[in-house]
Amino acid sequence: MRRKAFVPLLALILAVSMVLAVPASAQAKAKGWGKVKDIDKFLKKLVKSIEKFSDLRFADYRDAEWAIECVAKMRGMGIINGYGGNLFKPQAAVSQSEVLTMMVRVFDLEDEANEMAERFSTLYGKYDKIHGRDVDYDDIRQFVLEGLVLPVVPASARWALGYILVAVDEGWVKISELNPRAAASREWVAMVMVRALGHEAQAQAKTNTSLSFTDAKDVSRTRVGYVAESVAMGLFNGYPDGKFQPKKSVSRAEMAAILERFLEDELPDHTDFGVKGKVTAVSSTSITVRIAAEQSLTFTISQDALITLGGKATSLDKVKVGDTVEILSNGKLVALLIAIKAQVVEPADEITGEIVAMIWPPALTLKVDGQVVNRTIELATGCTIREGVHTISFESLQCEDRVKVKVQSGKAVEITVVARKSTVETVTGIVQEVSIANTGSTMKVATSNTTSRVIQLAPGVTVRYGNSTLSVADIEVGDSVHVRLENGKATLVTILARGAGVQTITGLVTGLSTSTSGSTITVATSNTTQKTVAVSPSVIVEFGNSTLEFDDILPGDTVTLKVQNGVCFFITITNRESTWGDLSGTIKTITQTMDGTTILLDRGSEPEVSVKLRAKVTITYGDAYLKPKDLRINDVVRVSLENKLAAEIRVIERAASGS
């Protein structure tokens, strides 16, 4: 290989031209970028790396389980390395020097990197003698020595010297953009990858592109085109909240995923260490894959083989005949990784049962007819939910609903509501008319100054006034009543006050008081007027479809009071502003019931707090999204509350598995 010496050019930018030798033998055909210098040689190198492994997993893979497949592939191919104790530290920020090292390896330029390190190490040794190895290099980007312009590489990053020099030499990164010890941001990696893949011109053409991300203004002006092009190339995606987070440090797991996307398109479908095809036979010890019309390969399955589905770890029993899989082997027909890429469509299984829990992302836990153990079923994308002839949303389902579920490949593809749980509602107002007949009794109730409702009374309806039980005939026009309806019929009528004289007060709660002498509520009915009213010990408080206690009323609630003889006997909360708060602590217990999931937080010196999870609670650990079932006892969490429910949970520190 012939090389030129480093020479100053233009704005003292490092430029070294490489003349790369191409072997005369025919190379394996790459299907993607075509950036790997010598595919044949590269594949042989990958085989030498992967044949050393029997288990591709790091001990801490659960810290970023979404990336386990990518990390395993990159580890086996020798693109990434771990730390002592078989750790990968997937959530740790990757430095610029680490990014460039991984890229040099994946672009098959490691020999050039070793040559560069050997060639220029003497000059860096001279620089250290002049400036000292402990100099703070952060504000220094380049130095000139013996007529050569070189990037400063701090002693702590000197292990990557050759890789950094190759990256600068190839034009992936300019000296002015390089800080080897700094964490690599998403926009920085996007820039480097776009250049490395030869899309500089396309990126420059997109400099004035309007990015669709909600935080587009945070992208550095000079890197807008690179971000746009990296997304177009499929190297980067945005986050579920619509942001790109350009300044966010790329984690080691994310970098492994980016490089895996590159190699996915770069390498042939079939190599000495990897194939793609359909499963024709599978057992606990072997798997046979058809890779062509008349060609099949049988692999022995390593005892430590990693099985993945949707990028996440699963078990071997999920692999079925007819599935499309990708197998990574040690080059000797021993499968180390079996990645299920598409599952055979199985005949739909149909089950019927009662909903006992609902989980987000969408999943149902059913008490299945004829089975002792409850079953949790995740909804497939596009799952249809029907009630009668209508299509309804997942949120419209309720615990205690009876449903019929079609299950295909382990997921619900169609849900039919067989019977709704008993629907309960309440009505409050003034009786305008009572009609008693053998065919059924009705009662007309004025629920406002302009609205009335005719209510059918159920046979055997209970009528109460104070501690007395009355008959329907005892209900009088003008009575103030609270009516409980089940499935549209009144089953309980509570007479709150007799006859006329009921006053209605509407306003904003400004004060609440409870003492041995009784309770009071203060309501602002205008900007200048407030009224304080005594509250009956048997007051009824309603908010939506829920019956609350007087202590549940919050300052700032908008309420309507029903008052007779100066005493409030009924309170309706008509509006409640969202109340937010944050709690931190360690999960002490996790309880799952038909009403949802509740966690008990140990807050050290503060009192323990029981928090119920909202149906659509968002749970994150680093960049990974979790489900309520993924929470563990002793997880350290920060909980954001909305209306006293956990709306967001951020896991700060994970408990050991099995805790």
Side-chain angles (χ1 to χ4, degrees), residues 137-176:
Y137 293 95
D138 288 345
D139 297 324
I140 306 171
R141 291 288 186 263
Q142 64 187 35
F143 68 93
V144 181
L145 194 62
E146 296 184 9
L148 301 178
V149 180
L150 296 168
V152 169
V153 179
S156 58
R158 196 65 58 78
W159 61 271
L161 175 61
Y163 300 95
I164 293 170
L165 293 179
V166 167
V168 174
D169 181 33
E170 290 285 317
W172 300 348
V173 62
K174 299 174 184 177
I175 294 177
S176 60

Side-chain angles (χ1 to χ4, degrees), residues 356-543:
V356 296
M358 298 173 65
I359 304 170
W360 196 269
L364 295 176
T365 299
L366 298 182
K367 182 180 180 181
V368 181
D369 293 352
Q371 295 184 14
V372 177
V373 180
N374 292 342
R375 180 173 174 183
T376 298
I377 307 169
E378 184 179 346
L379 271 64
T381 302
C383 175
T384 302
I385 307 174
R386 291 189 176 90
E387 182 177 9
V389 297
H390 302 289
T391 300
I392 62 174
S393 66
F394 176 75
E395 291 82 1
S396 299
L397 296 174
Q398 302 177 69
C399 286
E400 299 181 40
D401 283 350
R402 281 188 58 76
V403 292
K404 184 182 294 183
V405 182
K406 281 188 178 180
V407 181
Q408 203 165 53
S409 300
K411 293 187 177 182
V413 294
E414 184 178 312
I415 299 172
T416 303
V417 178
V418 177
R420 283 289 193 177
K421 77 169 188 177
S422 177
T423 56
V424 177
E425 62 174 318
T426 58
V427 174
T428 302
I430 306 297
V431 177
Q432 292 180 312
E433 183 182 308
V434 180
S435 175
I436 302 176
N438 293 332
T439 55
S441 301
T442 60
M443 179 173 61
K444 186 177 182 180
V445 177
T447 56
S448 70
N449 291 333
T450 59
T451 306
S452 297
R453 178 171 176 179
V454 176
I455 299 171
Q456 187 176 358
L457 305 181
V461 60
T462 300
V463 181
R464 288 181 183 158
Y465 178 47
N467 294 324
S468 302
T469 300
L470 310 180
S471 68
V472 173
D474 294 320
I475 302 173
E476 299 175 356
V477 173
D479 285 350
S480 178
V481 294
H482 179 64
V483 185
R484 174 186 173 92
L485 296 94
E486 296 183 29
N487 297 325
K489 293 185 178 181
T491 57
L492 173 65
V493 178
T494 302
I495 300 174
L496 303 172
R498 279 294 193 179
V502 176
Q503 180 187 8
T504 300
I505 300 174
T506 299
L508 201 68
V509 177
T510 57
L512 298 157
S513 173
T514 300
S515 65
T516 54
S517 59
S519 300
T520 62
I521 183 169
T522 301
V523 176
T525 57
S526 68
N527 291 335
T528 58
T529 305
Q530 297 195 53
K531 292 185 179 181
T532 300
V533 182
V535 178
S536 168
S538 57
V539 66
I540 295 175
V541 182
E542 281 195 345
F543 181 32

